[in-house]
Amino acid sequence: MRGRAQVWAKSARGRRVLLLLSLPLGAGAAMAGHQVLTGDGWSWAWTGITLAVAGIAALAAFRLTRASAAEPDPQTARPARGRGQGAQPTISAAGEGSVVIGSDNSGIISTGSGASNIQMSARASGQSRVYQAGGDLTVNETVLPAEALRPVEQVDAPSAVVNVPVHAGVFVGRAPELAEVERALEAPGPVVVAAVHGLGGIGKSTLAAQYALGQARERAVNPVWWITADSPASIEAGLSGLAAALQPELAGLPAPVLAERALGWLACHRGWLLVLDNLPHPGHVTGLLARTPAGRVLATSRLATGWHHLGASVLRLDVLQEAEAVDLLTRIATGAGVEGAAELVRELGCLPLAVEQAGAYLRQNHLSASAYLELLTARPAVMYDQAAEGGDAGRTIGRIWRLTLDRLSDTPLAGQLLRILAWYAPAQIPRTLLDDLAEAPVVQQALGRLAAYNMITLDEEGITVHRLVQAVARTPDPGDPHRQEADIHTARDRATRLLSDAQSGTDYGDPAGWPARRALLPHISALADHAPAGTDTPGTAYLLNETGLFVEDQGNLPRAIEYYQRAATAYQRTLGTDHPDTLTSRNNLAHAFRVTGDLDRAIPLHGRTLADRERVLGVDHPDTLSSRNNLARAHLEAGDLSRATALFEQTLADRERVLGADHPHTLTSRESLASAYEAAGDLGRAIPLYEQAVAELEGVLGVDHPHTLTTRDNLACAYESAGDPRRAIPLHELTLADRERILGADHPHTLTSRNNLAYAHKQAGDLSRATLLYEQTLADRERVLGADHPHTLASRNNLAAAYRAAGDLDRAIRLDEQTLADRERVLGPDHPDTFSSRNNLAAAYRTAGDLKRAIPLHEQALSDCERVLGPDHTTTLTARFNLAAGYRRAGDLQRAMPLYEQALAGFERVLGSDHPTTETVRGFYLEAAEEQGQAET
């Protein structure tokens, strides 16, 4: 299995800075921060962290987006890849003054001394690019049409934007219900919501589809958009599909970006209809409806309560009348005998879904209703134990499902397919998942026959299976040959393996593979939900571990921890406590705890994993050395610099002895030790060690290797910490250019380099250039990573700091408030990044003279840091110093002076008396003491 390797470097490293000096938040957080001390106290800014992860084989590609990524473990049950593998696109520019046009650039670009502009226009089609080589020339490349980027209020819906599925070939009855829906949605109001609820299979979706198609035919509204709303992921997928239908040229953008675009469009347009089908709970769309002040929304759900919170008109849908059910059956079963139709529909409970399936079976097999009823009576299915209210839904559908599969017995793969599909989300199951089950014609024949019997629905986008059919197919029944327990377990294991194989085609850190991996997430989540944890196999654990790596990289840390914990439990139960895969999964879980700032769980778990690896594998095993490096990183983030430095020094010596001086893990240890020296303010030892690491990496891996670029960026950051912008800025610029050439302009590591360069300009006092770079990076991260990714939140924080430094407090405060709210929502109230945002907002209030809001926020920040990080963590010491600055600004020296004294004593104890940070704090303390003395005299 794949584990985490120790970091190579931390090119976008976390640091807290007094004046120009670093105090690291520690590698591991995807974004970390700078605290800048001014006469009024501390203000905080952020720069991203690029982390590199050492792979398993020498010269393997590594993850570069997080400096604290843990080291890879050996792979036992199944080969796995290290972070950062996969070829990257290369775009190069040759010649002085040449430029490379990326996918997002548009406009005139001039280079060279005394350049003159000769404007040229070129358009790239497909995935092509336009390049300009040479000197003072201008190239304008448009990948997306300019009109695609106009504000959503200027985007008119194309004619007849409709995606309503046909849930039934024939619609009968329901005239009163249909009229009630029409009346409800014609009511006046800014946004009108109607909800249809009832038993599963009762025909809610069919009724909603009939109403929506009628609205589309009459052109009463546009668009008429259908969303399967059974999960947040499905709602996001539906919204992203709407955005693509409104503006097809945007179809390649990430789903979260498209969903946000769709919400923005709905918010500023009228005359549309949104159908939310199979919504589990009204609360799942409260936020969506809050952002759509106009329009019409029709929801279907099994839930009868809670709709009053949305102000919805509610309609309960019951079964068909017997005459209506007979009409429905006979219309569908055209050409088949209808003798006994009334008895049959009565046995089916007049449930529309069951009646539709029975009619299709009669028509396909030329049976009479009586003959069908005889089969149904002779071979009843066991009542489905999780049927919705009434129970008949599970029983009836279960009977039809068995009879249908009996008729498909000459296509054995059909039953196998249905049992496999039962473990996935019901909609948009990629057909490619099934490619390896059998030869393509055999798979397509089985799918086609299942579709002919209405057991599944096929379209170009994928496969849809009704959730009730899935539920029955997952439920063992000893009396049903299609639902034998062993067959269902085999189907679950095959469904798991198919998902793992689909993920293995791309590395989780490669943006090119993100769309395919994101499409699998709803199905992995469904599998995890449906399969009891006690049935997990090593294959299940492998899938969850791999998915955890991806969703963590995407910024979904709570879900990553959930998957890591379940994987660790499954490995321990199936393989044993001391199996290497078990130890690797525990290492990954400890890493996730560390990234979320939960050091109270991360450090003990890293410690136990190290002890177990020393006992099982030996003290010199590469995995043991990796665990020691990871534990050192956790101590560094906890502010225990002495213990972290000692562990880094020990690991470096052991790796030099065991692996050799030029082994990639040894080079990683050397750079990790440099980061510890830098954190302690010992730049005299840190910078030479970084410089040595760069030289060695260039010799071993090459000048263009991603790890070499990361280490070079770390060296540039160390130059910044030493107050040497003349060496820092050119090195950042070189690294950014190389990453754009090797990885592409939109790669996360490239965006991190741009962020680091912005910070360097800010530290050098060039606020205009820094602000432009920060704004560009934020826009790119929102587009590439999504609005809630931790990197995006860090960019927003950094831009606010630039506005604050430039004196634009109105924009700084708005952005700080937004970032704090987003971090509390996404990362949680106790994440270190959230603490930083809280402190930043307090500093902005203080700078603006709003001490009534600044001081309580500083007090909260200090209290939170003491509770979560401890009294001696550098972040806690900084928060104490900031609160002292707030009291001093308010003229309350009696409360300020004890805090200054405590902060100074803490920095002397943790960093040493000669550390630049300690000296800076001492200076402010002496100034405050002098003020106090003057006031007393």
Side-chain angles (χ1 to χ4, degrees):
M1 68 172 290
R2 172 160 58 183
R4 293 184 176 278
Q6 80 286 349
V7 301
W8 270 89
K10 45 179 200 336
S11 88
R13 298 149 312 132
R15 309 174 303 179
R16 296 192 170 88
V17 181
L18 286 170
L19 295 179
L20 297 176
L21 307 169
S22 275
L23 294 176
L25 283 172
M31 293 297 170
H34 295 274
Q35 305 172 349
V36 180
L37 185 60
T38 68
D40 290 330
W42 292 89
S43 61
W44 298 22
W46 288 84
T47 184
I49 299 179
T50 293
L51 304 178
V53 179
I56 299 220
L59 306 185
F62 300 84
R63 178 183 181 190
L64 301 180
T65 56
R66 179 170 47 232
S68 58
E71 299 176 297
D73 292 277
Q75 305 161 29
T76 54
R78 173 172 178 159
R81 307 175 310 286
R83 282 191 177 273
Q85 290 179 339
Q88 300 293 338
T90 298
I91 303 175
S92 61
E96 182 177 358
S98 61
V99 296
V100 174
I101 305 302
S103 62
D104 297 320
N105 293 326
S106 177
I108 297 178
I109 300 175
S110 302
T111 66
S113 176
S116 60
N117 295 326
I118 304 174
Q119 185 169 4
M120 296 163 48
S121 180
R123 181 177 297 275
S125 63
Q127 298 299 316
S128 63
R129 292 291 185 270
V130 177
Y131 309 95
Q132 172 65 43
D136 302 328
L137 292 178
T138 299
V139 173
N140 180 7
E141 177 196 14
T142 303
V143 175
L144 288 178
E147 61 269 23
L149 304 178
R150 64 190 185 278
V152 289
E153 58 266 28
Q154 298 178 13
V155 176
D156 293 327
S159 176
V161 178
V162 181
N163 74 328
V164 179
V166 179
H167 283 268
V170 178
F171 182 81
V172 300
R174 304 297 199 194
E177 294 89 344
L178 192 59
E180 188 172 348
V181 171
E182 291 174 347
R183 285 193 299 271
L185 290 175
E186 288 174 357
V191 60
V192 181
V193 182
V196 179
H197 72 84
L199 184 69
I202 207 70
K204 304 179 297 295
S205 299
T206 303
L207 181 68
Q210 184 72 10
Y211 170 79
L213 288 172
Q215 294 292 299
R217 282 192 296 267
E218 296 172 6
R219 299 185 181 275
V221 290
N222 185 46
V224 177
W225 198 255
W226 187 281
I227 294 179
T228 300
D230 60 291
S231 68
S234 298
I235 294 174
E236 179 181 83
L239 289 170
S240 65
L242 173 58
L246 293 169
Q247 291 183 274
E249 63 270 27
L250 301 182
L253 295 183
V257 177
L258 288 172
E260 184 67 21
R261 180 79 170 176
L263 284 173
W265 191 93
L266 294 171
C268 59
H269 289 80
R270 297 178 178 273
W272 47 261
L273 172 64
L274 203 62
V275 180
L276 303 175
D277 188 40
N278 285 314
L279 185 64
H281 192 282
H284 292 183
V285 294
T286 302
L288 184 154
L289 294 178
R291 297 186 57 185
T292 52
R296 300 292 180 264
V297 178
L298 176 60
T300 70
S301 176
R302 295 185 187 182
L303 190 63
T305 60
W307 298 102
H308 64 283
H309 294 297
L310 304 181
S313 299
V314 180
L315 169 65
R316 181 184 182 276
L317 198 61
D318 206 343
V319 296
L320 293 170
Q321 297 296 318
E322 183 174 304
E324 294 172 340
V326 170
D327 187 16
L328 177 61
L329 180 71
T330 54
R331 288 193 190 187
I332 295 175
T334 303
V338 294
E339 299 82 14
E343 292 79 6
L344 175 57
V345 299
R346 196 176 301 123
E347 178 65 17
L348 295 176
C350 294
L351 193 70
L353 179 60
V355 173
E356 292 167 13
Q357 289 180 323
Y361 188 94
L362 298 181
R363 180 172 182 171
Q364 178 74 26
N365 296 282
H366 302 284
L367 291 178
S368 67
S370 297
Y372 189 96
L373 182 58
E374 290 177 4
L375 290 173
L376 193 61
T377 303
R379 308 180 66 181
V382 176
M383 180 180 290
Y384 180 51
D385 59 0
Q386 294 183 354
E389 184 177 352
D392 289 344
R395 175 179 62 84
T396 304
I397 294 177
R399 291 181 178 184
I400 296 175
W401 180 85
R402 176 178 176 178
L403 291 172
T404 302
L405 266 292
D406 282 347
R407 184 59 71 173
L408 291 172
S409 59
D410 59 341
T411 309
L413 186 59
Q416 299 173 30
L417 276 175
L418 195 61
R419 288 189 291 272
I420 291 170
L421 296 172
W423 295 98
Y424 299 146
Q428 300 303 310
I429 303 171
R431 292 195 186 200
T432 54
L433 275 178
L434 310 176
D435 285 348
D436 295 334
L437 283 176
E439 294 183 357
V442 178
V443 173
Q444 295 306 316
Q445 180 193 25
L447 289 173
R449 297 206 68 193
L450 285 170
Y453 282 87
N454 288 333
M455 299 301 290
I456 66 173
T457 300
L458 296 176
D459 57 37
E460 294 181 358
E461 300 299 326
I463 306 166
T464 300
V465 189
H466 195 283
R467 63 196 70 257
L468 291 180
V469 174
Q470 288 181 307
V472 173
R474 293 191 304 268
T475 304
D477 180 358
D480 189 337
H482 308 295
R483 298 163 57 198
Q484 296 298 296
E485 186 171 11
D487 292 337
I488 290 175
H489 290 173
T490 298
R492 182 195 63 225
D493 293 341
R494 296 189 78 176
T496 302
R497 180 73 188 196
L498 291 171
L499 288 169
S500 293
D501 290 345
Q503 287 196 132
S504 65
T506 59
D507 186 83
Y508 62 84
D510 181 5
W514 289 355
R517 281 180 169 265
R518 288 168 176 165
L520 298 177
L521 290 180
H523 306 294
I524 296 170
S525 177
L527 175 65
D529 290 341
H530 296 319
T535 65
D536 288 346
T537 66
T540 311
Y542 177 85
L543 172 65
L544 294 176
N545 181 77
E546 287 288 294
T547 308
L549 292 170
F550 176 65
V551 297
E552 180 186 344
D553 196 60
Q554 294 287 294
N556 191 346
L557 295 171
R559 180 56 61 90
I561 289 176
E562 174 189 335
Y563 286 158
Y564 287 146
Q565 287 175 322
R566 184 162 168 177
T569 300
Y571 275 131
Q572 182 169 332
R573 178 175 52 81
T574 58
L575 302 179
T577 302
D578 291 340
H579 192 280
D581 283 358
T582 305
L583 299 178
T584 295
S585 65
R586 284 167 47 191
N587 177 79
N588 292 347
L589 178 58
H591 172 270
F593 286 147
R594 177 163 58 85
V595 172
T596 60
D598 191 352
L599 298 175
D600 287 341
R601 287 197 289 180
I603 290 176
L605 190 55
H606 272 311
R608 289 196 300 271
T609 305
L610 172 59
D612 288 343
R613 280 176 163 170
E614 288 177 337
R615 174 176 53 82
V616 174
L617 304 176
V619 294
D620 286 341
H621 191 280
D623 290 354
T624 305
L625 301 180
S626 294
S627 276
R628 188 175 301 127
N629 193 83
N630 295 340
L631 178 59
R633 180 65 59 186
H635 283 308
L636 183 64
E637 293 184 16
D640 193 344
L641 301 181
S642 60
R643 185 175 299 182
T645 301
L647 283 170
F648 279 136
E649 289 174 337
Q650 178 186 354
T651 305
L652 175 58
D654 289 344
R655 280 176 163 166
E656 288 177 335
R657 173 176 54 82
V658 174
L659 303 176
D662 289 339
H663 191 279
H665 289 190
T666 305
L667 302 180
T668 297
S669 277
R670 189 166 293 121
E671 193 162 8
S672 295
L673 179 58
S675 70
Y677 289 153
E678 183 183 1
D682 190 352
L683 296 172
R685 286 197 290 178
I687 289 177
L689 211 52
Y690 277 131
E691 291 172 335
Q692 179 184 355
V694 170
E696 290 171 343
L697 286 168
E698 289 178 343
V700 174
L701 300 179
V703 294
D704 284 345
H705 193 280
H707 291 178
T708 305
L709 301 179
T710 297
T711 308
R712 189 195 302 154
D713 211 36
N714 290 343
L715 175 58
C717 291
Y719 289 152
E720 288 173 24
S721 298
D724 190 352
R726 289 180 298 177
R727 287 197 292 177
I729 290 176
L731 203 53
H732 276 311
E733 290 174 335
L734 175 63
T735 305
L736 174 59
D738 287 343
R739 278 177 163 167
E740 288 177 335
R741 173 174 54 86
I742 296 167
L743 303 176
D746 282 346
H747 193 281
H749 307 162
T750 307
L751 301 180
T752 297
S753 276
R754 190 174 300 126
N755 182 83
N756 293 347
L757 178 58
Y759 178 80
H761 284 306
K762 178 175 174 288
Q763 292 299 95
D766 191 347
L767 295 177
S768 60
R769 187 172 300 181
T771 300
L772 288 174
L773 284 169
Y774 276 139
E775 289 172 338
Q776 179 186 355
T777 305
L778 174 58
D780 289 343
R781 279 176 165 166
E782 287 178 335
R783 175 176 51 81
V784 175
L785 303 175
D788 284 345
H789 193 283
H791 290 200
T792 307
L793 300 179
S795 278
R796 196 173 294 132
N797 183 84
N798 296 343
L799 180 58
Y803 289 152
R804 190 165 58 250
D808 190 347
L809 295 179
D810 288 340
R811 284 204 291 181
I813 288 174
R814 286 196 301 270
L815 211 52
D816 277 327
E817 289 173 337
Q818 178 186 354
T819 305
L820 174 58
D822 289 343
R823 279 178 162 167
E824 287 178 334
R825 174 176 53 82
V826 175
L827 304 177
D830 287 343
H831 192 281
D833 288 1
T834 307
F835 294 161
S836 298
S837 279
R838 193 169 291 128
N839 188 83
N840 292 346
L841 179 57
Y845 287 152
R846 188 178 72 241
T847 303
D850 189 352
L851 298 179
K852 289 183 179 180
R853 288 198 290 180
I855 290 178
L857 210 53
H858 276 312
E859 291 172 337
Q860 181 184 353
L862 175 58
S863 175
D864 290 340
C865 288
E866 289 177 334
R867 173 175 53 83
V868 176
L869 302 176
D872 284 342
H873 194 282
T874 53
T875 301
T876 306
L877 297 175
T878 301
R880 188 172 293 123
F881 180 87
N882 290 338
L883 179 56
Y887 287 148
R888 181 185 177 189
R889 178 74 178 268
D892 191 350
L893 290 174
Q894 287 186 343
R895 286 198 290 178
M897 290 307 300
L899 290 171
Y900 274 131
E901 292 170 356
Q902 294 169 18
L904 176 58
F907 279 122
E908 288 176 338
R909 183 170 58 254
V910 174
L911 300 180
S913 298
D914 295 333
H915 191 281
T917 297
T918 306
E919 292 178 352
T920 302
V921 172
R922 186 180 296 115
F924 281 101
Y925 166 70
L926 293 176
E927 288 180 4
E930 183 178 354
E931 287 181 15
Q932 187 180 40
Q934 292 174 352
E936 291 174 352
T937 59

